[in-house]
Amino acid sequence: MEISAIDQNPNMVYVMLYEAIGTCIFTFGINMSVDFSNNFKADPMSVGLLYFVNICFLGVLSGGHFNPAVSLGVLIKEGKQRWKTNTKYFFMIISA
């Protein structure tokens, strides 16, 4: 489904580390985009731009999921072919 470093057989620890770092950056960016003085309204443009930059820089290394919904969708689409890898993604994102 995607071309990533996993297809080139890198160390899975680094892949999961990049995924956790990307998720933390993404979550931090969402929290920082909220305007607390204006009824907690978020700026959707900044969140989308941050997600794009995250995928550009870390997506090549880790696959660029950074969101549990994306990982769950890939898990459902690929089925049993890469079950172990996709469940590792899912739980790493949830834990980050």
Side-chain angles (χ1 to χ4, degrees):
M1 182 163 166
E2 76 242 0
I3 298 171
S4 68
I6 293 175
D7 299 328
Q8 300 166 1
N9 295 325
N11 191 346
M12 227 22 210
V13 173
Y14 291 123
V15 171
M16 292 299 140
L17 180 67
Y18 294 140
E19 194 69 29
I21 289 170
T23 303
C24 289
I25 291 170
F26 186 58
T27 306
F28 179 75
I30 290 172
N31 290 332
M32 290 296 107
S33 71
V34 174
D35 184 10
F36 294 104
S37 64
N38 193 7
N39 294 331
F40 299 102
K41 292 184 180 177
D43 183 19
M45 189 66 164
S46 64
V47 174
L49 185 62
L50 179 66
Y51 199 60
F52 172 74
V53 170
N54 240 357
I55 289 174
C56 286
F57 285 114
L58 296 173
V60 176
L61 303 170
S62 70
H65 292 196
F66 306 126
N67 188 341
V70 174
S71 296
L72 187 62
V74 171
L75 182 69
I76 292 169
K77 167 118 177 39
E78 291 184 349
K80 293 184 178 180
Q81 294 171 350
R82 290 176 49 185
W83 180 258
K84 286 184 179 181
T85 304
N86 289 329
T87 52
K88 288 177 187 176
Y89 266 118
F90 188 75
F91 287 115
M92 179 56 73
I93 292 170
I94 294 296
S95 66

